[in-house]
Amino acid sequence: MQQQLAQLVAAATQEASAVATRAELEAFKARVVGPNGSLTQVMKGMATLSKEERPVVGKLINEAKKSVEELLAALLVKVENAEIAAALGASVDPTLPSPDAPAGSLHPLSRTRERILASFRKLGFVVADGPEVETEWHCFDALNTPADHPARDMQDTLYMPKAFRSADAPRKADEAILLRTHTSSVQVRTMLSRKPPFRIVAPGRCFRRDAVDATHSANFHQVEGLWIDRNVTLADLRGVLDFFVKETFGADAEIRLRPSFFPFTEPSFEMDLRSPNLGRLSNRWLEIMGCGLVDPKVLELCGLDPNEWSGLAFGLGLERIAMLVHGIDDIRHFYNNDTRFLRQFA
Amino acid sequence: MKVSFQALSRHLDLAGVTAERVAEVLPMLGLEVESVTTFGLAPLPLVVVGEIKSFEKHPKADRLSVCQVDVGDGAIRQIVCGAKNFKAGDRVPVALPGTVMPSGFAISISKLRDVDSAGMMCSSEELGLGKGEDGLLILTPRQPALGTPLNALFGAPDTVLEISVTPNRGDCLGIRGVARDLAAALGLTLKPLSVKTAAGFAAAPSAADAVKFVRSSSEFCPYYMLRTLKNVKVAPSPEWLRRDLEAAGLRPINNVVDITNWVLLELGQPLHAFDAKKVSEGIEARPAREGEEIVLLDGKKVKLETGVCVIADAQRPLVVAGVMGGVDSGVTDSTTEVLLEAAWFRPGEIRRVARRIGVSTDSSHRFARDVDPAGVELASRLATDLLIELAGAQVVGPAVVVGKPPRADVTIELPAGYVAAKLGTPIADVDVNAAFARLGFTVKPSATGFSVLVPSFRSDVTRPIDLVEEFIRIHGTDKVPAGRPIAPLPGDEDALTSVFTREVSARLVGAGFTECCHYSLRDAAELERTLGADKAALVAMDNPLTAEQTHLRASLVPGLAGALALNLSVHADPHGLFEVGTVFRPQADGTVREFISVAFAIVAEPVTRSWKSREAFDALRAKRLLQDAAALAGVASVRLSFAAANGGLWQADHAAALVDRGRAAEGACGVLDLRWTRSLGLKSSVIAGEVCFPRSAFAEARKIPRFEAFSSFPPVTKDVAVIVPVDIAAAEVESRVRQGASKAAGKEFALESVNCFDVFTGPGLPKGHRSLAFEIRWRHAARTLTDEETNQALGVVIATLEKGAGWTVRR
């Protein structure tokens, strides 16, 4: 009996080496452990044995059965491996480069804009917008800019012909239609359409009749802010700008407010920035934005009672900030769209 | 405006105050300092007077001379020199070895073309004295002693501050105005101005005057003053006067003209001097008459616009008032009688006229910024003092004045505590008032606070808020602390355009596209291609600066196509490019509407070779991106339909136009016109897409989605294939399938989806036909659908489809 079992296991082991597919495995399994399988036949023979022989033979059979089961398990792994290899094909060399294009990237002006907006959002400013082609009233008159102010000159501002009609900025009377020179027109539209208090930031494209060079561009971008509330003060202005500058240029950046003049703010200031982290522009005062308290005349023109409401406003050039933050030396890079430039900010 | 340190010192005692300190203080007063330069001879102890004893030509260089120079120390030095303007015996500045010139160049003993040279003889420019005569600065006429340090011959150097004056501060276009601000900031006292000529005036000329009448009939000249000065000796101005003018960047001319310019610089009040002999009868400020012309001092002949204010004699205009004098009535070397004009002209008109005739003068610049009416007489008297002193002039009587000062000092009622309230920090009123006093304002208590009397030289200060600015300028902005951050206002949200821009950019960046930014202003050819010639004319600007930037853009696609070409030309693989921005499109009603546009472009064939190929980007992937972009703008895909695009930027048969039933989106996608992109230098075809939304599409807040329950029972799927003529759009067939499938479902169960999974043309189909196969999925909310139900439903679909002419369902 012992010999018979040994032969059986040896025969099965030899036969197993030829098994390659799941069908062969199933057939092999039937031949050994199926209802008429060789091992099953031996086990059936147990019934004819004496009481004394049974434990001895039983032990032998169990050993043989264990060997066969191990053999089947190994065969199953072998067959499954073959199946997986067939399904997946050749192996992958993970050191090969991916043939797919990398993710794209945002334009540095967009990045800078989002970064600036994010810092003002923390202070409760929300984004507002308005048309790029504006009426002269929204761009100048409502902002207390005198009729003969140089900014209105045909030399400095781009105008649309008299026949031009904008669907987004209809004329109030017969004033000129122009390409907005600042996003302050959005401030005007907001004051006219919303009830204070509010805090807005208006990012957007502006235009000047400038020849293109390293620091000038026919179109450029601004981010302007406006806060209208009761009792808005110079201390509030300083607080807001100080926060923005530290967010954008780091905690060791400092600001100063230098008195200046704009028709729409009184008092008016240029805000200068000084930071130790600006490359060759480090540690010196750099003019980066105009700001001030909203002139009472502007509030009045925009339908707000200056005895009740007050406000602060500020405006900065996006290109200028992006150039400072990234150390870019020529404004034309922003508009050339050479991907060797664009991808540097991904 | 150039202001020298010495000029400021005439008006206030600057002992112990350096020029550097002044340059730090002025910007914080609102007077931006653009540059600080040295005027005059910097300290150069080793530059001394020398005499050229003899010279001969350099043996090896035709242009050089070898000079023997004596600087009075007993030795003769040999110096090689390139100048030509000297002779033996001339005295010239000699920089001895060890000198560092203002340019930074160090002088040493050296050889020039093999000849020893022990120093350098200097030109005016090399010494930092400005551009003088070509060649050496010849000192011979001054007869200086040999060896005298040059600094002993020239006065101490001065510092010149170039100040940028904002338009509201006309008072700082005179040195005294700047000095007044500086005095207020530094707590110094402005020295009184001493004028000898008596005040007082006559209403009409006397017999002694050089004119018979002085009149003003122009609304732009409400105040005019004219004074006769006789026995004037026109000559070059003295050294100090020349120096003052040169420090301010003006060229000395003669004593009379120089005096008027000096007073202009000093007080900011322009003056004009006529040669009385060239004036016929009298002087009148009057509107120009039709057809009048004048030849200006700069030689330019100007046709005068009717009505502009001119200063005329009995016969002709002599001066464009406040702007520039004529060529034939001014003071010359032969002048002996002078008429000195001082006046006040309306600022806006001067600005307008100066711009109109295209000249900006020191005079027009100041009149345009509202000169102090009270300063008119003062300036006239100060200039008279100087004409008497420097040109021997004799005064014949008081000045003749017509009109009166158009404005006076202003009193502002300032409520108590107003300034502190605007600053947001406690400031005592007494400190506020002290600052005003320093600025020359007079403060008196009133019932509600204070009455502040602002002198007429500050026309920009008229309201309480203006006084806040005055205070903070003097007090210092750095003394205002930062206010505490404030809490956001609940419920406020970003404009949806901004949210959309952010989200759609993220979507495209994720899809591998790089964001671009192009100019909004484009050329005519691009707009004609995009819109056609008629519509392109509607977005043309009135006053473009250049021929390349004449129109507003109507599409972002041309910019992107150009960027693809640019990147390929520099061998940078652009992959996909996109842009989000405003475009301008003419509408049916004749208006032009602004759209927020999203566009992308990519070359169809890969630029970079790869070991493994990927399926190329095609028109239908572009379609997917457009649908996604539209969805982010709140325009659901079911609202969009696509039809063949015709012409313009797009290639016929390979591009589609997008139409939104709700008219909140328009656009196109597909292959760009191949002839056009090839003309840009792009070899491969370009796939692009653009979708635009009017601003109104972002007007309403987005709805918050509500949950809808769904069935927990399995769906049933059936396939149907239909053979249709090739010119039938897939969308039409799909719509018919949907129609039948939802009709079949009725109210009992629901159509879940219709999906086109196969398109086939070729063997087995009739010519000119194709087969489209759809998978239809139905589901019941409360149970599993039976075979009978779904087979019946499929029958309805088949029946619906077979109603189409030439449509056959495959079985």
Side-chain angles (χ1 to χ4, degrees), chain B residues 1 6 11 91 258 298 321 344 447 492 532 586 672 690:
Chain B
M1 161 96 181
Q6 285 179 19
H11 297 275
R91 298 204 165 176
D258 292 353
D298 62 2
W344 190 94
D492 257 3
L672 292 181
E690 178 169 40

Side-chain angles (χ1 to χ4, degrees), chain A residues 167-190:
Chain A
D168 301 274
R171 289 178 170 86
K172 283 178 84 82
D174 63 344
E175 74 268 37
I177 300 289
L178 46 78
L179 273 62
R180 68 179 175 193
T181 56
H182 44 201
T183 52
S184 311
S185 51
V186 179
Q187 300 187 10
V188 172
R189 286 183 179 276
T190 307

Side-chain angles (χ1 to χ4, degrees), chain A residues 100 121 153 168 235 257 339, chain B residues 355 477 483 494 520 567 594 614:
Chain A
D100 295 307
R121 273 191 206 102
D153 200 282
D168 301 274
L257 297 178
T339 52
Chain B
R355 201 181 303 157
T477 54
D494 284 352
S520 296
N567 279 284
E594 290 188 21
R614 289 290 196 234

Side-chain angles (χ1 to χ4, degrees), chain B residues 208-541:
Chain B
D209 277 308
V211 286
K212 293 192 188 116
F213 62 83
V214 179
R215 292 197 286 254
S216 172
S217 57
S218 168
E219 56 171 315
F220 304 119
C221 176
Y223 184 40
Y224 191 88
M225 175 177 287
L226 193 75
R227 190 188 297 273
T228 301
L229 294 141
K230 295 196 168 170
N231 296 330
V232 175
K233 286 158 212 71
V234 176
S237 295
E239 181 82 21
W240 68 265
L241 178 50
R242 297 168 63 92
R243 194 215 74 94
D244 280 0
L245 293 182
E246 283 171 350
L250 296 187
R251 190 168 52 91
I253 296 169
N254 60 47
N255 51 4
V256 176
V257 174
D258 292 353
I259 286 165
T260 60
N261 281 335
W262 189 85
V263 172
L264 170 142
L265 293 173
E266 197 76 354
L267 301 180
Q269 167 69 44
L271 300 170
H272 187 77
F274 297 95
D275 183 336
K277 298 241 167 77
K278 294 175 191 163
V279 172
S280 165
E281 294 187 52
I283 288 287
E284 180 177 7
R286 63 162 171 84
R289 292 166 191 147
E290 202 171 329
E292 281 187 328
E293 290 181 341
I294 186 169
V295 179
L296 297 175
L297 263 178
D298 62 2
K300 191 168 159 185
K301 188 171 181 176
V302 175
K303 207 171 165 228
L304 292 164
E305 182 193 352
T306 308
V308 301
C309 184
V310 294
I311 310 301
D313 63 9
Q315 286 166 7
R316 68 204 199 285
L318 307 176
V319 175
V320 178
V323 180
M324 195 183 258
V327 75
D328 53 2
S329 61
V331 171
T332 63
D333 291 350
S334 59
T335 300
T336 57
E337 267 183 34
V338 167
L339 293 169
L340 181 68
E341 166 196 295
W344 190 94
F345 300 108
R346 297 237 172 258
E349 177 67 3
I350 295 294
R351 196 177 307 150
R352 192 187 69 81
V353 172
R355 201 181 303 157
R356 175 129 186 153
I357 62 177
V359 290
S360 175
T361 59
D362 287 329
S363 166
S364 69
H365 186 64
R366 285 167 177 79
F367 280 125
R369 281 161 175 74
D370 202 351
V371 300
D372 178 14
V376 171
E377 193 196 13
L378 185 68
S380 172
R381 287 163 59 208
L382 183 59
T384 303
D385 280 5
L386 291 167
L387 286 166
I388 293 168
E389 187 188 328
L390 304 178
Q394 286 176 347
V395 175
V396 300
V400 181
V401 169
V402 290
K404 58 180 196 316
R407 52 178 181 82
D409 301 350
V410 169
T411 301
I412 303 171
E413 291 303 327
L414 182 69
Y418 183 85
V419 173
K422 286 292 166 191
L423 299 185
T425 186
I427 301 275
D429 280 330
V430 57
D431 296 331
V432 173
N433 294 341
F436 294 154
R438 278 154 72 179
L439 284 163
F441 303 174
T442 313
V443 185
K444 281 186 195 146
S446 73
T448 54
F450 304 93
S451 289
V452 183
L453 182 74
V454 179
S456 60
F457 56 73
R458 288 302 302 275
S459 64
D460 59 319
V461 181
T462 59
R463 307 168 297 172
I465 194 72
D466 300 328
L467 288 170
V468 174
E469 178 166 274
E470 289 311 298
F471 172 73
I472 195 64
R473 287 199 310 120
I474 302 307
H475 181 68
T477 54
D478 54 337
K479 297 199 186 92
V480 176
R484 282 190 305 169
I486 18 68
L489 301 166
D492 257 3
E493 296 293 343
D494 284 352
L496 286 178
T497 45
S498 158
V499 177
F500 170 70
T501 301
R502 209 161 52 235
E503 290 180 354
V504 82
S505 299
R507 169 75 182 88
L508 287 160
V509 167
F513 290 80
T514 296
E515 191 184 14
C516 292
C517 182
H518 286 93
Y519 293 118
S520 296
L521 311 179
R522 321 295 299 183
D523 67 9
E526 176 182 313
L527 268 294
E528 281 165 16
R529 177 179 299 283
T530 310
L531 296 175
D534 290 353
K535 282 188 171 175
L538 294 172
V539 291
M541 286 180 286

